Amino acid sequence: MINAKRLSIDFSKIKTIGDFHDEMNELFGFPDFYGKNVHALIDCLSSIRFPSDGMTKIHVDMCEVLIIEAMNFSVLEKEIMKIFIFSVEAVNQRSILKGRSAPLLIEFIEKHAY
């Protein structure tokens, strides 16, 4: 069994790349100097296991993962989809290259209003 924390993101609210970075900043609590670009996102999320870095307000222990519940992901523009998936992949690769387990998992959840 995996020790995990969960965070839900409703992607139906996100229309632009600016909206995406604002939402990530809001949810993860990045520092004031967050650059709102893919490199800044990767750098901040790479500190999710290191609270002393001060890069995010959400943290998981070395033996935990953060499951990101990506709700309504399919409504996103393709470019934003790519940025999100690329960022999670890059954070996980950094961790694995340092001999640690991947800290982030994505669970795709589609909830449609009828």
Side-chain angles (χ1 to χ4, degrees), residues 42-94:
I42 292 166
D43 287 344
C44 287
L45 289 177
S46 292
S47 290
I48 201 149
R49 286 187 171 150
F50 305 98
S52 62
D53 290 352
M55 300 299 278
T56 180
K57 292 182 180 157
I58 294 178
H59 304 105
V60 293
D61 293 333
M62 288 295 183
C63 61
E64 288 181 309
V65 296
L66 178 65
I67 299 172
I68 301 170
E69 297 174 344
M71 299 183 341
N72 302 309
F73 188 74
S74 65
V75 302
L76 275 179
E77 290 196 21
K78 298 282 187 235
E79 188 61 28
I80 302 170
M81 285 180 174
K82 289 178 189 176
I83 289 169
F84 178 70
I85 291 172
F86 174 79
S87 299
V88 169
E89 180 181 35
V91 168
N92 286 341
Q93 280 183 326
R94 278 185 180 182

Side-chain angles (χ1 to χ4, degrees), residues 11-23:
F11 285 98
S12 67
K13 303 184 293 185
I14 298 170
K15 306 297 181 209
T16 66
I17 291 177
D19 293 343
F20 170 74
H21 284 290
D22 289 344
E23 186 69 13

